[in-house]
């Protein structure tokens, strides 16, 4: 069985117009998930540890990282601060 990286699989799938349209529609959500995961891992922090830092439950962090949660700006500010980051929202 041949394995490919996520990046390669994404590159291949983005050639499909229907996939690309759906992916582009969720780009902001994917970027938030990516950034939260990256910062949490850089801080060597578990979901449970992050949840404790923000006064929440591990299940909430899990839902956020899996894309099954629509967080408020206030919540994202708390997460950003807890992982040593800063939340920036831009409308282009």
């Amino acid at each position: 069985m041949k394995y490919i990286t996520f990046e390669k699989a994404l590159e291949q799938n983005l050639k499909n117009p229907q996939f690309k349209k759906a992916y582009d529609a969720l780009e902001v959500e994917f970027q938030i998930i990516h950034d939260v995961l990256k910062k949490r891992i850089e801080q060597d922090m578990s979901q449970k540890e992050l949840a404790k830092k923000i006064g929440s439950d591990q299940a909430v962090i899990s839902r956020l990282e899996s894309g099954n949660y629509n967080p408020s700006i206030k919540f994202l500010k708390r997460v950003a601060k807890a992982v040593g980051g800063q939340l920036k929202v831009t409308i282009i």
Side-chain angles (χ1 to χ4, degrees):
M1 180 183 281
K2 182 179 176 188
Y3 294 99
I4 62 172
T5 65
F6 169 78
E7 289 79 13
K8 187 67 174 173
L10 179 60
E11 178 185 329
Q12 290 174 357
N13 282 311
L14 286 172
K15 292 176 185 175
N16 176 321
Q18 287 180 311
F19 180 90
K20 181 164 177 22
K21 183 178 178 180
Y23 182 85
D24 288 347
L26 294 170
E27 182 180 6
V28 172
E29 288 87 345
F30 289 151
Q31 190 63 53
I32 290 169
I33 292 165
H34 174 269
D35 292 347
V36 169
L37 274 165
K38 181 179 177 192
K39 291 297 280 184
R40 181 174 65 75
I41 290 167
E42 285 174 358
Q43 297 295 315
D44 196 30
M45 190 182 301
S46 69
Q47 288 182 346
K48 189 174 183 176
E49 291 167 329
L50 174 55
K52 185 175 180 181
K53 275 186 114 172
I54 66 169
S56 188
D57 188 68
Q58 180 271 330
V60 174
I61 303 302
S62 177
R63 286 194 303 271
L64 172 66
E65 291 181 358
S66 68
N68 293 318
Y69 179 61
N70 189 10
S72 67
I73 298 294
K74 184 177 179 180
F75 178 82
L76 290 174
K77 282 182 184 178
R78 291 187 357 235
V79 170
K81 183 177 178 183
V83 295
Q86 185 178 32
L87 180 66
K88 292 193 179 201
V89 177
T90 305
I91 299 175
I92 300 173

